[in-house]
Amino acid sequence: MKIKNSMYLFQIIFSLFIFFCLAISYTTYKNYYLNDLDEYIDKEIELYQKYLSSSLKLVSLKYEGNKNIFYNIHEKALQILKKNPDTDLATLKKELQNECKLKNFEIEAFLIDENYKIFDTTFTQDMGLNLSIIVEAKEYLDRTKKDGNIYIANNVSEDALDGKYKLYSYSKLKEGVFLELGFVDTEFHNNIFNALDKNLDLKLYRVTSVNGFQYYYDIAKRDSYISKKEYYQSLKKFDINKQSSDKIINTAREKKIIKDTQGKIIRVYVPILDYRKFVNSFWHYDIVMSFDIDISKKIETLEKFENIIIIFLTFMFMFLTFMFYWLNKNFTQPIKEIENAMTASKLVDNIKNENEIGHIAQAYNKLLTNLHNKIKKNRELIRIDFLTKAKNRKAYHENVLELLSLYKRYQIPFSIMLFDIDNFKEVNDTYGHSVGDDVLKDITRLVKSEIRESDFLYRVGGEEFVVLFPQTSLQSAKKVAEKIRKIIQNNLNTIENRTITISIGVCEVEADDIGDSLYKKVDQLLYKAKKSGKNRVCCE
């Protein structure tokens, strides 16, 4: 036995040492791989953050520096339209462009009715759009409606359809009609789209919050053939107060990098711009960047590690097979003989060795002889319920099969009664389990006193009992059941000022009954008694 233990110990130590070496190597590579991946992601993020941030700061400064010019242009537009109300917006746009000569800026004009709906514009995709869905636009329109002043927006807007960045101005043209001008920076728009065209894996998403909802769209993917109204309706909206599984929305909300592994590609989502932290809050939306990283080479390296592990496991299998053969011949087989004898509950006769195994066999033979003697004495105890001293479920199954056998062979009838203590859980909850145990014992005592010596009482569940009445008809069993119910109701005084009742189901064996069907039948009668108000007897 000492040699066997030594060999097992050697195998375990050797295996653990090899596994430890492999685990160290794998962990080292994995850490290197993760650090390398994180460095790559950080460089990509830093690159695009610098580019976007510098570009946005530049365009912000351009818009901020031109606000006075935009204000004057808006005044000029009002003068033209008030002087000649029949001037169409295309002519107005051309006249303003020629006169103002803004470098890298275009002007779009919009007429808006008192319901915030655009009814005329040089940017046809905005025709019919209701500006009440745009919080800032509605706010400025309400202001100018009251005081007639010109307002320049505080925030630059990126158009959902053409992707151009615009700063809007608002004023009241006449009663029920408002003028909106959009000043478009074409230079920044072109720079962004050129960067996206050069890197096909890179995508930028604008995430905007409106009226308790968020939506986003791909900055580079536009549909210039539909109206902005239709475009907004086509976007999927996400309730700000509800969790979302969308990775772009979660990146914008949580302001953290999300990595999504798809086979040999890792798609990374990065919050590239948080408008809440941007200079002067000139932008009022988030930008999320996504790009793909090919990890196929790294996966190949991991697969090589797997091959090494497979080779190691093969070697270990061969080694362990040899050790198994040696140990089986010298130790396992003798122990197996003892195990087989134990399984069959027989004495061990074949082992005569005067060693540890022989001593085990002798000790086992002595224990088995003592056990057989005790089993003879305690065989009946295993059929007795420990708490109530009534027979248990095991005894019930044995006895009911005996009675069924007598019935099928000699047509000797018998009846069965199943009863359950009403509201027993309430008794346990109110007075404690020790009082509940006393109730069970007192009920057992009362029932035993009211049945014949030839009848059998069993506790088959927590508060469920069965009584078998050999050679007893249904009517006779029903009378006994009713008598027992009344005695328990009237005489059981385990708990002061509390009446304990039982519900009972009674039936008689029939030709097609077996053990399970008979129990189910009487259980249904008990259920019927419960449903009918409890404290009653129900029979077929």
Side-chain angles (χ1 to χ4, degrees):
M1 294 295 286
K2 294 180 180 179
I3 296 176
K4 177 184 176 182
N5 289 338
S6 299
M7 293 306 299
Y8 277 137
L9 182 61
F10 170 76
Q11 290 181 78
I12 293 171
I13 293 175
F14 179 73
S15 300
L16 289 176
F17 173 75
I18 299 299
F19 274 119
F20 177 75
C21 293
L22 287 175
I24 291 295
S25 300
Y26 182 80
T27 303
T28 302
Y29 171 76
K30 187 176 181 181
N31 289 336
Y32 170 78
Y33 157 70
L34 292 175
N35 291 335
D36 182 54
L37 184 62
D38 289 339
E39 288 178 6
Y40 175 79
I41 293 173
D42 290 341
K43 288 180 181 178
E44 290 291 306
I45 294 171
E46 183 180 3
L47 174 65
Y48 288 107
Q49 277 183 331
K50 283 184 179 180
Y51 175 77
L52 286 174
S53 297
S54 61
S55 298
L56 292 175
K57 288 178 181 179
L58 179 61
V59 78
S60 297
L61 291 173
K62 286 176 63 178
Y63 273 115
E64 191 68 33
N66 287 314
K67 271 192 172 182
N68 290 333
I69 297 175
F70 296 156
Y71 187 93
N72 294 333
I73 292 173
H74 198 109
E75 276 190 328
K76 180 67 177 178
L78 284 176
Q79 293 173 4
I80 293 172
L81 291 176
K82 288 180 178 180
K83 182 177 181 181
N84 188 359
D86 294 330
T87 302
D88 63 83
L89 295 184
T91 302
L92 174 67
K93 173 181 176 178
K94 185 176 181 181
E95 186 173 342
L96 292 174
Q97 289 280 168
N98 292 336
E99 183 172 334
C100 300
K101 297 180 180 180
L102 288 171
K103 186 177 181 181
N104 296 321
F105 278 99
E106 293 180 355
I107 301 174
E108 300 290 354
F110 308 82
L111 290 180
I112 305 161
D113 64 21
E114 60 185 0
N115 296 318
Y116 310 103
K117 186 176 181 180
I118 298 175
F119 66 87
D120 192 11
T121 178
T122 58
F123 188 66
T124 56
Q125 288 92 336
D126 275 5
M127 183 67 73
L129 177 66
N130 194 313
L131 294 181
S132 63
I133 67 172
I134 303 175
V135 176
E136 187 182 47
K138 182 178 182 299
E139 179 182 339
Y140 287 124
L141 289 171
D142 288 340
R143 288 184 187 179
T144 190
K145 181 178 181 180
K146 291 180 180 180
D147 56 26
N149 293 332
I150 298 172
Y151 289 96
I152 306 295
N154 288 326
N155 298 318
V156 175
S157 299
E158 184 256 343
D159 195 275
L161 292 183
D162 64 9
K164 296 179 180 180
Y165 285 84
K166 304 174 182 179
L167 185 67
Y168 291 99
S169 60
Y170 305 86
S171 69
K172 180 178 179 181
L173 179 62
K174 59 183 179 180
E175 194 64 36
V177 179
F178 303 92
L179 173 65
E180 178 186 34
L181 295 183
F183 301 94
V184 185
D185 183 349
T186 57
E187 181 182 25
F188 177 67
H189 166 263
N190 293 331
N191 289 343
I192 291 291
F193 272 69
N194 289 338
L196 294 174
D197 289 338
K198 290 178 182 178
N199 192 338
L200 298 178
D201 289 334
L202 175 67
K203 291 186 178 181
L204 293 177
Y205 300 92
R206 167 179 167 173
V207 183
T208 306
S209 301
V210 177
N211 296 331
F213 289 90
Q214 287 178 299
Y215 62 87
Y216 67 86
Y217 52 79
D218 188 338
I219 289 178
K221 187 178 180 181
R222 310 289 179 168
D223 190 346
S224 59
Y225 299 99
I226 64 174
S227 69
K228 190 174 292 183
K229 178 181 179 181
E230 293 173 323
Y231 185 72
Y232 278 127
Q233 290 174 347
S234 70
L235 295 177
K236 183 178 180 180
K237 295 177 175 59
F238 301 85
D239 192 327
I240 290 177
N241 297 317
K242 293 182 179 180
Q243 291 184 342
S244 172
S245 60
D246 189 276
K247 292 180 175 57
I248 296 173
I249 289 295
N250 287 335
T251 301
R253 287 179 179 179
E254 299 172 14
K255 302 297 179 292
K256 68 179 184 181
I257 297 172
I258 295 178
K259 300 174 186 176
D260 181 24
T261 302
Q262 302 173 356
K264 295 183 178 181
I265 299 295
I266 294 180
R267 181 158 293 170
V268 184
Y269 298 88
V270 184
I272 201 77
L273 174 64
D274 181 0
Y275 77 90
R276 284 166 285 270
K277 298 179 181 178
F278 200 74
V279 179
N280 296 327
S281 297
F282 206 59
W283 306 90
H284 60 292
Y285 50 83
D286 299 307
I287 293 179
V288 173
M289 174 178 71
S290 77
F291 56 91
D292 295 339
I293 300 175
D294 186 351
I295 58 171
S296 56
K297 291 184 179 180
K298 309 212 179 266
I299 291 178
E300 290 176 5
T301 304
L302 288 176
E303 289 174 348
K304 291 179 181 178
F305 268 103
E306 291 177 359
N307 293 333
I308 293 173
I309 293 173
I310 291 172
I311 293 172
F312 165 75
L313 291 176
T314 302
F315 168 76
M316 289 300 300
F317 175 76
M318 295 172 63
F319 173 75
L320 293 174
T321 300
F322 168 76
M323 292 303 301
F324 172 80
Y325 170 77
W326 187 84
L327 292 172
N328 182 66
K329 181 180 178 181
N330 293 277
F331 299 100
T332 307
Q333 192 59 40
I335 293 174
K336 189 68 175 178
E337 292 180 11
I338 297 176
E339 181 183 358
N340 291 337
M342 290 180 176
T343 303
S345 296
K346 296 180 179 180
L347 297 176
V348 180
D349 297 325
N350 298 330
I351 299 176
K352 306 296 183 181
N353 299 341
E354 292 297 327
N355 56 19
E356 291 93 339
I357 295 177
H359 296 159
I360 291 174
Q362 294 171 14
Y364 163 72
N365 288 341
K366 184 177 180 181
L367 288 172
L368 183 62
T369 302
N370 292 334
L371 178 62
H372 283 164
N373 293 333
K374 290 182 179 180
I375 287 175
K376 290 179 182 179
K377 296 179 181 179
N378 298 326
R379 183 165 290 168
E380 283 301 317
L381 293 178
I382 65 174
R383 293 170 175 80
I384 300 297
D385 177 61
F386 177 79
L387 176 66
T388 62
K389 307 308 178 187
K391 293 181 182 293
N392 60 17
R393 180 180 286 271
K394 177 177 177 64
Y396 161 75
H397 284 301
E398 292 176 353
N399 293 149
V400 78
L401 291 177
E402 292 174 1
L403 291 175
L404 282 169
S405 178
L406 290 172
Y407 173 76
K408 294 183 183 297
R409 184 176 298 180
Y410 304 111
Q411 287 74 50
I412 299 175
F414 69 95
S415 296
I416 181 172
M417 178 180 90
L418 175 65
F419 69 89
D420 179 282
I421 303 172
D422 297 329
N423 306 314
F424 188 68
K425 183 179 183 302
E426 182 180 331
V427 171
N428 278 334
D429 292 344
T430 304
Y431 303 100
H433 287 277
S434 61
V435 174
D437 290 345
D438 291 337
V439 171
L440 292 171
K441 289 186 283 188
D442 288 345
I443 284 180
T444 301
R445 176 179 50 79
L446 285 175
V447 173
K448 281 185 176 180
S449 67
E450 296 301 322
I451 62 177
R452 303 170 300 185
E453 289 185 2
S454 59
D455 300 332
F456 304 103
L457 172 65
Y458 311 87
R459 183 186 178 201
V460 295
E463 65 268 24
E464 287 188 355
F465 293 79
V466 168
V467 178
L468 290 177
F469 300 101
Q471 302 183 34
T472 304
S473 66
L474 176 62
Q475 292 301 319
S476 298
K478 181 181 178 183
K479 290 179 181 178
V480 176
E482 187 63 35
K483 181 180 179 182
I484 290 173
R485 183 193 66 78
K486 291 179 179 178
I487 287 175
I488 289 175
Q489 179 182 357
N490 298 326
N491 298 342
L492 187 66
N493 54 6
T494 308
I495 304 173
E496 188 176 353
N497 298 325
R498 172 124 189 171
T499 300
I500 301 296
T501 62
I502 61 173
S503 298
I504 305 175
V506 183
C507 69
E508 184 178 351
V509 66
E510 295 178 345
D512 57 345
D513 279 333
I514 60 175
D516 289 340
S517 66
L518 182 62
Y519 189 89
K520 288 180 181 177
K521 185 163 58 175
V522 73
D523 187 53
Q524 290 173 357
L525 292 169
L526 171 60
Y527 179 79
K528 182 178 178 181
K530 289 283 189 182
K531 285 297 183 181
S532 300
K534 303 179 181 179
N535 190 23
R536 64 192 63 227
V537 177
C538 282
C539 60
E540 293 179 315

